[in-house]
């Protein structure tokens, strides 16, 4: 049977080519409607019936959205027509979705304030001076007017062409002949021309794209650069010397070679490229043997001692309190098992380091394959997710966006997508304000090398801001930018009132109009009150297509159309330097800004939108269509880039030798705004600096939800290029898996799925996995190719040729954005594998852990990137209630993982044993809370009953207890040594482990059991990112006490243990024969419990110094009274009364 190439099919039909064989799949409308509100208030509509992306350049020129159209519809330069369309597309808000047409609303303005940056949506420009035409004058890359005549008569592009073609080239202003009638000489050409393509390649847009891959007999899913795949189908073929996997430039800089007689220079040979020594981008820093060897030895010793201790405990029962002995044995066995699961993956910790200088030399330095020195780094798409502007303040999100736009990564390769899952106009306008302020902030950061590049954090720094600053105008620039930022904050803070006032005004106007119409239609009849929808209005005087302030039909959080707005259009390919005149002196500063896109996916009743995971998958598809970066960095809205070089450091791992097998690079989470004592272990340094470093020595760290750099094709569910199967235990020895034989070598299979060794992937199979968007399907091999490391050394496997990614990206057009609207619609994922195998995985509140687990389970590896300067920083809930609810959500997700098919016990042979143990611990750790709560009550039960878990405190028991405690402390000290954390941080972690285990973890176990047994879904609550109301104390939120049912178990444990200590002392003091050994044992363990719960008790007391003294007095009196009552009711054996002759009144 002849094979079909799913990636070679035309993109002309877009995603509206729904399967006719699949009933119930709604068809996607095939129209994009353009409407524009003119200055006079009228609306002019445009339509395009065919969104074919493979129109020839001549045909494509017939479609524009300009006003007015040229009278004779003249054909113009395709590059100009594309740039003109991109300008209009970037100024249009695209909406659409289920059973609705895709519309592009051309916006005169996005925000109330004026926008000046030429990349900004709604940027102002001069209007054409021709009567009856309100189009904008042509402009260059800086937004300056391009005026073809010396008289500076303002004329738009269409009117200029009309004047040249029909008016003899006479200027309508001065009536003189135009000296230059060539339009291409007037328009700034966005940088260097493209490399000449193969003959006839200029006829179709897809032929110019890197994504074009045509195959005659085999699916490109199954092939790579090192196999029979022809590179000519990937790259532009020049007339230069075709060298080691790439079109090399000759030594004299000409395209031709001396052999053909077209050039005088000699061709570049492979040996010339290999003369320079190969240098790695990263290196492993192993833990010194003086630390890791004793660490491993102590683990072994403690395992042996625990085994001997448990054996001794089981064989030495306590006949006086067999029930106490039994409960303690069960708990201790589980604690030993839980400790083993946590400790085994820590046997191989490592550290890593990157070399940014080598990265620059390889990817951004002129070479024979890249003579201009353009960046050869792959594209990077950054995702920022937000859902509720009330709990996630827009100012916080805006600062995160600004830090991304100012990051040190090639501007033309960087794209930022903001997912607003609430569809709020407040978030939309806040992002537009951020894009406008970026025009000042980003060049300022580049000029003065500002760190951090979050303006709120930078201007709040307590250190000297002038340290290491040498430019004389820094003080002046900083003062000006600070003033602009203060005004920016005021505008953001005033947006809610501004939107509300604007909406009220427009709604009142509509009510008046409706009442007038009613009076005209009904003369003297009794008029009924006019009811119109309370719409939310945008700055240009039109309805907001998302969620309204007063929710209505098609305008609520769970029911609104999909929205895409290009806030900042793609930058030019070459640097664009600013000018000395203006706000700042930006003469030698690149003023370009990365692509910024606002996305709000469609939501409709009856569809499961899968919370954050569904929003992230929508961004994956939309970004694949619009920019298709080979890598994806996801950040929460409150996590900003603290180290502007962080993206480059992550890229060092992806682009290094063997980097094609990495699915993601996880960065540690660092937090700001936490109290100095870190009362509730918010920094979580034990996890991020101990556990994650240890996992890095196996198959890699787990994915923790933010600060993670993904390989796009790993998210697509493909297997790594080279994967090994690891023994999973005795079962694999007795019943080994039979491996399929394949005729294709491991190196030649670049894209595989489901361990399918067949070389064919039929056309019908791909849409069932990814959906029916041909744009999306065509982008898959592009992302795979661009994500490969450089083939700059024979040892680099599955590499790509140097210089392959220096080609400019395609300009945005209407069909591309319309397709992006289609792939974020609510129905797109129906009958596909999105959320089950592809993208973020659904079915758990901790979708991050499950998504990372699936990648490791397919054989991918990950790395942990700890930078010298923190890569990202965010906020954490410092309030006790919020912190407990955060831990509850994590623990609930772990329980869901344990009862799902993502349980590590069911992992594939591609996962290493210790990695499987680590994932097993992720699913099991909440169940430790059951035994922990029982064990916390055991000291109190011992004191109440007068018994202990052992019959007597003999020497054997004390020696075992001493060895176990000492080894635990020594292990902690060694972990502190190789991880760099402090002893206080380790102790805080131990304390909150018990606090969380006795509160949130036990609740998570019950919630998970309810969901697993009865199918009841647990509601997910967003963690608030806002601070307390007390502006005088930055830690005011810490002292706010909000009651939660999660607090009941820890409070009960504290009260019972305090009362038990008082009862134990009273019983022992007044006993005829005091049992001091049993008292000491019980009191010791009770104090151990209370010491761990001390931060919890301190949190219940509220602000420092505000707890009345009478509270402590009454607490002591109540405890003494209860203890005396207990001893009176249950007097010690052999005693006739309390305290000898004293009798209780």
């Amino acid at each position: 049977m002849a094979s079909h190439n799913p990636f070679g099919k035309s993109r002309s039909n877009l995603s509206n080519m729904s399967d006719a064989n699949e009933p119930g799949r709604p068809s996607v409308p095939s129209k994009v409607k353009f409407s524009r509100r003119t200055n006079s208030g009228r609306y002019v509509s445009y339509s395009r019936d065919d969104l074919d992306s493979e129109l020839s350049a001549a045909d494509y020129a017939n479609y524009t959205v300009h006003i007015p159209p040229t009278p004779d519809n003249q054909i113009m330069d395709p590059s100009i027509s594309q740039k003109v369309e991109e300008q209009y597309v970037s100024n249009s808000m695209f909406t659409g979705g289920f059973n609705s047409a895709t519309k592009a609303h051309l916006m005169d303005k996005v925000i109330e304030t004026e926008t000046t940056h030429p990349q900004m949506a709604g940027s102002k420009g001069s209007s054409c001076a021709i009567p009856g035409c309100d189009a904008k004058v042509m402009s260059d890359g800086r937004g300056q007017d391009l005026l073809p005549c010396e008289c500076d008569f303002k004329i738009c592009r269409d009117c200029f062409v009309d004047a040249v073609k029909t008016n003899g080239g006479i200027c309508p202003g001065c009536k003189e002949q135009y000296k230059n009638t060539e339009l291409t000489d007037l328009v700034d050409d966005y940088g260097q021309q493209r490399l000449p393509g193969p003959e006839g390649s200029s006829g179709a847009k897809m032929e110019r794209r890197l994504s074009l891959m045509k195959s005659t007999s085999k699916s490109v899913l199954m092939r790579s650069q090192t196999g029979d795949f022809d590179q000519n189908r990937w790259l532009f073929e020049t007339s230069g010397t075709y060298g080691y996997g790439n079109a090399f430039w000759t030594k004299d800089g000409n395209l031709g070679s001396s052999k053909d007689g077209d050039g005088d220079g000699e061709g570049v040979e492979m040996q010339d490229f290999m003369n320079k020594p190969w240098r790695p981008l990263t290196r492993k820093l192993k833990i010194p043997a003086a630390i890791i060897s004793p660490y491993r030895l102590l683990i072994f010793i403690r395992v042996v001692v625990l085994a001997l201790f448990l054996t001794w405990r089981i064989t030495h029962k306590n006949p006086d309190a067999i029930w106490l002995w039994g409960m303690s044995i069960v708990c201790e066995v589980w604690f030993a098992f839980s400790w083993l699961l946590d400790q085994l993956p820590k046997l191989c910790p490592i550290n890593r380091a990157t070399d940014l200088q080598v990265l620059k030399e390889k990817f951004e330095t002129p070479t024979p394959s890249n003579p201009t020195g353009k960046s050869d780094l792959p594209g990077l798409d950054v995702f920022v997710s937000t859902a509720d502007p009330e709990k996630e303040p827009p100012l916080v999100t805006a600062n995160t966006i600004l830090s991304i736009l100012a990051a040190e990564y090639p501007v033309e390769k960087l794209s930022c997508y903001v997912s607003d899952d609430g569809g709020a106009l407040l978030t939309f306008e806040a992002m537009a304000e951020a894009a406008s302020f970026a025009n000042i902030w980003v060049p300022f950061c580049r000029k003065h090398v500002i760190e951090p590049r979050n303006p709120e954090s930078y201007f709040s720094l307590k250190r000297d801001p002038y340290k290491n600053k040498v430019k004389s105008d820094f003080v002046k620039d900083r003062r000006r930018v600070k003033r602009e930022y203060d005004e920016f904050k005021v505008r953001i803070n005033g947006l809610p009132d501004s939107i509300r006032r604007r909406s009220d005004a427009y709604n009142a106007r509509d009510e008046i109009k409706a009442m007038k119409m009613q009076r005209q239609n009904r003369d003297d009849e009794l008029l009924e009150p006019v009811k119109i929808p309370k719409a939310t209005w945008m700055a240009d005087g039109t309805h907001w297509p998302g969620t309204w302030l007063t929710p209505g039909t098609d305008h609520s959080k769970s029911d609104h159309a999909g929205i895409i707005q290009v806030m900042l259009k793609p930058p030019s390919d070459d640097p664009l330097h600013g000018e000395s005149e203006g706000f700042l002196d930006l003469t030698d500063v690149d003023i370009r800004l990365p692509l910024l896109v606002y996305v709000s996916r469609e939501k409709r009743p009856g569809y499961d939108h899968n919370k954050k995971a569904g929003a992230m998958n929508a961004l994956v598809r939309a970004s694949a269509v619009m920019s298709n970066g080979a890598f994806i960095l996801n950040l929460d809205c409150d996590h900003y880039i603290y180290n502007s070089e962080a993206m480059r450091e992550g890229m060092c791992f992806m682009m290094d030798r063997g980097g094609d097998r990495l699915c993601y690079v996880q960065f540690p989470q660092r937090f700001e705004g936490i109290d100095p004592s870190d009362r509730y272990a918010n920094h979580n340094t034990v996890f991020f600096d101990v556990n994650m470093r240890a996992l890095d020595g196996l198959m890699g760290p787990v994915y923790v939800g933010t600060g993670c750099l993904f390989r796009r094709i790993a998210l697509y569910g493909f297997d790594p290029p080279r994967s090994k199967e690891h023994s999973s235990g005795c079962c694999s020895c007795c019943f080994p898996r039979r491996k399929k034989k394949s005729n294709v070598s491991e190196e030649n299979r670049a894209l595989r799925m489901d361990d399918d060794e067949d070389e064919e992937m039929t056309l019908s199979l791909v849409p069932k996995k990814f959906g029916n968007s041909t744009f999306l399907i065509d982008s898959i091999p592009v992302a795979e190719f661009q994500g490969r490391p450089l083939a700059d050394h024979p040892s680099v496997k599955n590499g790509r040729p140097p210089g392959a990614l220096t080609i400019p990206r395609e300009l945005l057009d209407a069909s591309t954005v319309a397709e992006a609207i289609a792939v974020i619609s609510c129905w797109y994922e129906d009958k596909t594998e999105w959320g089950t195998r592809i993208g973020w995985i659904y079915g758990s509140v901790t979708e991050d852990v499950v998504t990372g687990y699936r990648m490791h389970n397919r054989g991918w590896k990950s790395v942990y990137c700890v930078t010298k300067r923190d890569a990202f920083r965010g906020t954490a809930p410092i309030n006790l209630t919020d912190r407990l609810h955060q831990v509850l959500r994590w623990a609930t997700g772990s329980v869901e993982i344990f009862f799902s098919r993502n349980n590590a016990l069911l992992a594939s042979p591609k996962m290493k044993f210790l990695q499987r143990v680590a994932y097993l611990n992720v699913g099991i750790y909440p169940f430790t809370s059951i035994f922990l709560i029982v064990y916390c009550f055991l000291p109190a039960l011992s004191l109440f009953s007068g018994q202990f878990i052992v019959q007597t405190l003999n020497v054997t028991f004390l020696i075992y207890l001493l060895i176990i405690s000492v080894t635990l402390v020594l292990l902690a000290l060694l972990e502190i040594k190789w991880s760099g954390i402090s002893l206080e941080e380790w102790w805080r972690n131990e304390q909150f482990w018990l606090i969380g285990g006795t509160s949130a973890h036990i609740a998570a176990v019950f919630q998970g059991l309810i969901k697993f047994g009865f199918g009841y879904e647990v509601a997910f609550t967003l963690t608030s990112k806002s601070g307390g109301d007390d502006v005088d104390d930055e830690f005011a939120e810490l002292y706010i006490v909000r009651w939660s049912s999660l607090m009941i178990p820890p409070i009960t444990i504290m009260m019972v243990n305090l009362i038990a200590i008082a009862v134990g002392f009273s019983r022992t003091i007044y006993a005829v024969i005091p049992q001091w050994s049993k008292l000491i044992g019980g009191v010791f363990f009770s104090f151990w419990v209370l010491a761990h719960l001390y931060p919890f008790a301190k949190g219940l007391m509220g602000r420092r110094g505000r707890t009345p003294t009478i509270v402590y007095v009454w607490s002591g009196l109540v405890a003494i009274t209860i203890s005396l009552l207990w001893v009176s009711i249950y007097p010690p054996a052999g005693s006739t009364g309390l305290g000898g002759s004293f009798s209780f009144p």
Side-chain angles (χ1 to χ4, degrees):
M1 180 181 295
S3 63
H4 301 279
N5 180 12
F7 300 112
K9 189 173 176 61
S10 169
R11 291 167 52 169
S12 58
N13 294 325
L14 312 181
S15 67
N16 49 25
M17 292 178 54
S18 56
D19 268 343
N21 299 329
E22 294 182 14
R25 174 67 67 88
S27 61
V28 182
S30 60
K31 294 185 178 181
V32 179
K33 296 183 179 180
F34 285 84
S35 61
R36 185 172 186 271
R37 187 174 185 268
T38 64
N39 294 336
S40 59
R42 63 188 179 89
Y43 286 87
V44 181
S45 300
Y46 301 86
S47 64
R48 180 183 178 186
D49 295 330
D50 187 9
L51 292 179
D52 193 338
S53 64
E54 287 191 86
L55 290 173
S56 66
D59 293 335
Y60 191 74
N62 292 334
Y63 167 65
T64 67
V65 292
H66 269 70
I67 305 174
T70 55
D72 53 349
N73 205 6
Q74 293 292 327
I75 298 176
M76 56 182 169
D77 188 348
S79 63
I80 299 177
S81 67
Q82 290 170 8
K83 279 179 267 186
V84 169
E85 182 177 11
E86 182 187 54
Q87 181 67 35
Y88 275 85
V89 166
S90 63
N91 285 336
S92 301
M93 174 184 289
F94 283 74
T95 60
F98 180 69
N99 284 339
S100 61
T102 301
K103 300 179 181 179
H105 171 66
L106 194 60
M107 304 180 68
D108 284 338
K109 61 179 181 179
V110 180
I111 52 179
E112 297 288 351
T113 54
E114 183 176 352
T115 56
T116 57
H117 196 279
Q119 290 180 240
M120 176 70 183
S123 58
K124 297 297 181 181
S126 302
S127 297
C128 180
I130 299 294
C133 178
D134 57 358
K136 300 300 180 184
V137 175
M138 296 177 290
S139 60
D140 60 11
R142 294 180 176 83
Q144 302 295 326
D145 292 342
L146 290 174
L147 305 177
C149 186
E150 295 179 352
C151 69
D152 292 341
F153 181 79
K154 296 181 179 181
I155 187 171
C156 68
R157 191 269 312 166
D158 290 314
C159 293
F160 173 73
V161 174
D162 185 31
V164 172
K165 299 294 183 182
T166 62
N167 199 26
I170 302 298
C171 173
C174 63
K175 309 302 180 182
E176 298 289 337
Q177 186 81 23
Y178 281 122
K179 294 183 179 180
N180 186 4
T181 59
E182 293 296 329
L183 188 64
T184 53
D185 295 337
L186 298 174
V187 180
D188 187 23
D189 199 15
Y190 273 72
Q192 183 178 339
Q193 294 289 332
R194 302 175 187 275
L195 292 176
E199 192 171 332
S201 63
S202 60
K205 178 181 177 182
M206 280 298 295
E207 294 289 337
R208 297 195 310 271
R209 286 184 61 91
L210 186 65
S211 60
L212 180 62
M213 282 178 44
K214 295 189 179 292
S215 176
T216 56
S217 61
K218 297 182 180 179
S219 170
V220 293
L221 280 172
M222 308 298 295
R223 282 184 284 164
S224 69
Q225 178 258 345
T226 55
D228 58 349
F229 175 25
D230 187 0
Q231 288 294 329
N232 294 335
R233 293 169 184 153
W234 280 99
L235 303 171
F236 295 123
E237 184 176 354
T238 70
S239 58
T241 303
Y242 201 82
Y244 183 62
N246 190 27
F248 280 97
W249 297 79
T250 54
K251 291 182 178 180
D252 61 350
N254 296 325
L255 288 176
S257 77
S258 58
K259 295 181 181 179
D260 298 331
D262 298 331
D264 297 331
E266 298 179 358
V268 178
E269 301 295 337
M270 172 64 182
Q271 188 60 35
D272 297 335
F273 186 75
M274 298 301 298
N275 282 338
K276 296 179 65 177
W278 185 85
R279 297 169 62 190
L281 295 171
T282 63
R283 64 185 187 274
K284 291 183 181 180
L285 303 176
K286 295 185 178 180
I287 308 298
I291 298 175
I292 194 64
S293 296
Y295 182 74
R296 292 170 177 167
L297 179 62
L298 280 173
I299 293 176
F300 175 75
I301 292 174
R302 196 164 194 266
V303 169
V304 173
V305 172
L306 279 175
L308 295 175
F309 173 69
L310 293 175
T311 303
W312 181 87
R313 289 277 284 116
I314 293 173
T315 56
H316 291 74
K317 299 180 181 179
N318 183 6
D320 298 333
I322 195 69
W323 57 275
L324 199 62
W325 170 85
M327 287 192 296
S328 64
I329 285 294
V330 172
C331 295
E332 289 164 3
V333 170
W334 180 266
F335 292 153
F337 172 69
S338 178
W339 175 83
L340 196 61
L341 290 181
D342 180 68
Q343 201 66 46
L344 283 179
K346 298 179 183 178
L347 289 172
C348 307
I350 61 170
N351 293 317
R352 298 181 187 269
T354 59
D355 195 332
L356 295 179
Q357 184 60 35
V358 176
L359 183 76
K360 184 175 180 62
E361 291 176 1
K362 287 190 175 186
F363 292 90
E364 296 175 332
T365 302
T367 60
S369 57
N370 182 17
T372 61
K374 283 188 176 181
S375 176
D376 197 22
L377 289 170
L380 175 60
D381 296 337
V382 184
F383 295 171
V384 179
S385 58
T386 182
D388 189 344
E390 294 182 1
K391 293 186 177 181
E392 299 168 331
L395 183 60
V396 176
T397 307
N399 273 275
T400 300
I401 300 301
L402 290 169
S403 71
I404 295 171
L405 298 180
E408 287 295 334
Y409 199 80
V411 182
E412 66 276 9
K413 302 295 183 71
L414 184 62
S415 304
C416 179
Y417 294 83
V418 182
S419 171
D420 179 17
D421 223 26
L425 180 59
L426 175 58
T427 303
F428 175 83
E429 294 199 359
M431 295 306 98
E433 290 284 1
S436 178
F437 179 68
N439 185 29
I440 302 171
W441 173 251
V442 174
F444 170 71
C445 291
R446 292 172 181 163
K447 178 181 178 180
H448 296 290
V449 195
I450 299 300
E451 293 287 355
R453 300 193 175 181
N454 175 327
E456 182 68 25
S457 298
Y458 171 70
F459 290 121
S460 300
L461 290 176
K462 296 180 181 179
R463 58 178 172 82
D464 182 12
Y466 308 107
K467 185 178 181 180
N468 299 327
K469 302 303 179 186
V470 296
K471 293 188 177 181
S472 58
D473 56 352
F474 171 71
V475 177
K476 178 185 65 175
D477 289 352
R478 185 180 187 275
R479 188 182 302 116
R480 289 180 176 179
V481 174
K482 177 65 166 63
R483 183 177 65 249
E484 289 292 325
Y485 177 66
D486 290 339
E487 295 177 359
F488 166 74
K489 287 200 297 183
V490 171
R491 291 197 301 271
I492 293 289
N493 295 332
L495 280 178
D497 290 337
S498 175
I499 294 171
R500 190 175 295 105
R501 288 196 306 268
R502 179 203 311 154
S503 300
D504 291 343
Y506 279 116
N507 289 330
R509 183 199 64 179
D510 286 355
E511 286 183 2
I512 295 173
K513 287 183 179 180
M515 290 176 64
K516 287 182 179 180
M517 292 293 296
Q518 189 182 45
R519 289 171 183 172
Q520 293 174 1
N521 297 334
R522 301 182 181 182
D523 296 332
D524 297 329
E525 297 180 13
L526 183 62
L527 300 180
E528 298 179 357
V530 178
K531 294 183 179 180
I532 65 170
K534 298 294 183 181
T536 300
W537 295 74
M538 294 187 291
D540 67 339
T542 57
H543 284 182
W544 168 244
T547 303
W548 287 354
L549 297 176
T550 303
T553 306
D554 294 335
H555 295 284
S556 63
K557 285 187 177 181
S558 59
D559 184 13
H560 63 79
I563 308 170
I564 291 181
Q565 171 70 60
V566 180
M567 293 290 186
L568 293 171
K569 68 178 183 179
S572 58
D573 188 56
D574 286 335
L576 182 66
H577 297 296
E579 300 175 348
S580 58
E581 299 177 0
F583 190 76
L584 301 174
D585 184 3
L586 304 175
T587 306
D588 298 323
V589 181
D590 189 359
I591 63 172
R592 295 176 301 162
L593 300 176
L595 172 67
L596 175 62
V597 183
Y598 171 90
V599 179
S600 181
R601 59 178 173 146
E602 182 191 19
K603 288 188 174 182
R604 298 300 179 191
Y607 284 87
D608 186 0
H609 303 294
N610 297 295
K611 302 171 185 174
K612 180 182 176 181
M616 298 304 292
N617 284 339
L619 285 186
V620 171
R621 297 190 296 270
S623 63
V625 172
M626 297 183 68
S627 57
N628 196 30
F631 298 96
I632 294 172
L633 173 66
N634 87 292
L635 296 173
D636 287 343
C637 65
D638 62 327
H639 273 71
Y640 69 91
I641 298 179
Y642 187 74
N643 181 357
S644 60
E645 301 276 357
M647 298 176 181
R648 291 177 175 271
E649 299 222 25
M651 206 59 67
C652 286
F653 293 101
M654 292 295 192
M655 293 290 101
D656 204 8
R657 178 171 56 185
D660 58 329
R661 299 174 62 187
L662 298 181
C663 56
Y664 61 81
V665 176
Q666 178 65 61
F667 294 86
Q669 291 186 21
R670 306 300 186 199
F671 303 101
E672 293 178 335
I674 296 176
D675 56 298
S677 62
D678 193 12
R679 180 184 295 177
Y680 306 124
N682 286 282
H683 284 299
N684 212 359
T685 51
V686 172
F687 174 76
F688 287 113
D689 290 324
V690 178
N691 296 70
M692 297 288 271
R693 289 176 191 261
L695 290 176
D696 199 16
L698 304 176
M699 292 183 69
V702 298
Y703 168 43
V704 294
T706 184
C708 189
L709 180 66
F710 282 100
R711 183 177 299 275
R712 184 179 285 270
I713 62 164
L715 278 173
Y716 285 161
F718 291 104
D719 296 333
R722 303 172 300 281
S723 59
K724 300 177 182 179
E725 292 193 0
H726 304 277
S727 174
S728 57
C730 59
C731 295
S732 62
C733 300
C734 302
F735 304 99
R737 292 183 58 182
R738 178 178 296 180
K739 294 184 179 181
K740 298 179 181 179
K741 294 183 179 180
S742 174
N743 297 326
V744 183
S745 65
E746 183 72 24
E747 291 300 325
N748 294 341
R749 297 195 296 265
L751 295 175
R752 295 172 302 155
M753 191 176 285
D754 293 321
D755 293 326
D756 189 2
E757 303 293 344
D758 297 332
E759 298 182 24
E760 304 295 333
M761 180 171 282
T762 61
L763 181 63
S764 60
L765 184 60
V766 178
K768 289 181 179 179
K769 292 179 178 292
F770 294 93
N772 51 18
S773 170
T774 53
F775 271 54
L776 176 61
I777 294 173
D778 286 344
S779 71
I780 296 174
V782 183
E784 188 277 331
F785 176 77
Q786 293 181 348
R788 298 178 184 177
L790 283 183
D792 57 352
H793 194 272
S795 63
V796 177
K797 301 178 181 179
N798 195 38
R800 64 170 172 85
L805 303 184
T806 58
I807 307 170
R809 76 164 101 189
E810 283 297 329
L811 303 178
L812 282 178
D813 57 16
S815 62
T816 301
V817 186
E819 182 68 6
I821 284 288
V823 298
I824 65 171
S825 59
C826 59
W827 55 264
Y828 185 82
E829 294 183 354
D830 289 353
K831 300 179 182 179
T832 67
E833 293 188 1
W834 285 98
T836 57
R837 178 186 174 92
I838 300 173
W840 270 258
I841 306 302
Y842 302 153
S844 174
V845 296
T846 52
E847 72 286 335
D848 45 6
V849 178
V850 176
T851 302
Y853 166 79
R854 290 289 186 90
M855 296 181 187
H856 285 141
N857 202 35
R858 289 193 290 269
W860 289 96
K861 293 183 178 180
S862 60
V863 297
Y864 196 52
C865 182
V866 182
T867 56
K868 292 182 179 179
R869 178 183 176 86
D870 294 344
F872 311 101
R873 282 193 177 180
T875 59
I878 62 175
N879 179 264
L880 176 60
T881 306
D882 291 340
R883 176 71 165 134
L884 291 179
H885 280 96
Q886 183 187 56
V887 174
L888 171 64
R889 183 170 65 88
W890 295 343
T892 303
S894 295
V895 176
E896 292 173 348
I897 291 172
F898 181 79
F899 287 114
S900 69
R901 68 173 194 167
N902 299 310
N903 192 315
L905 294 174
L906 308 177
S908 72
K910 294 182 180 179
M911 184 178 290
K912 291 183 178 181
F913 172 74
L914 290 181
Q915 188 79 18
R916 187 176 310 200
V917 170
Y919 274 112
L920 183 62
N921 185 45
V922 169
I924 281 182
Y925 82 88
F927 294 96
T928 303
S929 60
I930 300 174
F931 306 93
L932 186 61
I933 287 183
V934 173
Y935 210 73
C936 287
F937 279 111
L938 285 183
L941 295 176
S942 174
L943 292 171
F944 282 134
S945 63
Q947 302 295 330
F948 194 52
I949 57 176
V950 293
Q951 193 168 13
T952 58
L953 290 177
N954 55 23
V955 177
T956 306
F957 175 79
L958 294 177
I959 290 176
Y960 276 128
L961 192 62
L962 179 63
I963 295 176
I964 291 173
S965 301
V966 169
T967 53
L968 179 64
V969 172
L970 292 177
L971 283 172
L973 292 176
L974 290 175
E975 284 183 359
I976 290 171
K977 189 70 175 177
W978 61 255
S979 65
I981 66 174
S982 65
L983 183 61
E984 182 183 7
E985 290 172 331
W986 179 87
W987 172 238
R988 288 297 187 207
N989 181 80
E990 291 295 308
Q991 286 180 312
F992 197 79
W993 170 77
L994 193 141
I995 295 172
T998 55
S999 57
H1001 293 178
I1002 188 66
V1005 171
F1006 284 113
Q1007 287 186 359
L1009 292 174
I1010 291 173
K1011 180 180 179 180
F1012 178 73
F1014 303 99
Y1016 177 74
E1017 185 70 24
V1018 179
F1020 164 62
T1021 303
L1022 269 179
T1023 304
S1024 176
K1025 273 70 176 183
S1026 58
D1029 298 329
D1030 191 346
V1031 296
D1032 297 328
D1033 190 348
E1034 60 178 321
F1035 305 121
E1037 187 75 11
L1038 178 69
Y1039 312 113
I1040 299 176
V1041 181
R1042 303 189 187 101
W1043 173 254
S1044 172
S1045 57
L1046 299 177
M1047 299 179 179
I1048 295 176
I1051 291 176
T1052 306
I1053 290 173
M1054 286 192 301
M1055 291 181 62
V1056 170
N1057 276 276
L1058 285 172
I1059 295 172
I1061 291 174
V1063 169
F1065 269 109
S1066 301
R1067 180 188 298 276
T1068 304
I1069 291 173
Y1070 295 112
V1072 177
I1073 304 177
Q1075 299 290 330
W1076 290 104
S1077 61
K1078 295 179 180 180
L1079 174 67
I1080 292 174
V1083 170
F1084 173 80
F1085 284 106
S1086 287
F1087 272 115
W1088 177 85
V1089 172
L1090 295 175
H1092 282 74
L1093 290 174
Y1094 172 73
F1096 177 84
K1098 194 174 181 180
L1100 293 178
M1101 296 178 183
R1103 185 179 295 273
R1104 296 184 294 261
R1106 293 191 179 181
T1107 304
T1109 308
I1110 192 65
V1111 172
Y1112 300 104
V1113 174
W1114 278 106
S1115 299
L1117 291 175
V1118 169
I1120 295 172
T1121 303
I1122 293 177
S1123 62
L1124 291 175
L1125 285 173
W1126 181 276
V1127 176
S1128 176
I1129 297 172
Y1130 300 101
S1135 177
T1136 57
L1138 182 62
S1141 60
F1142 177 78
S1143 60
F1144 196 81

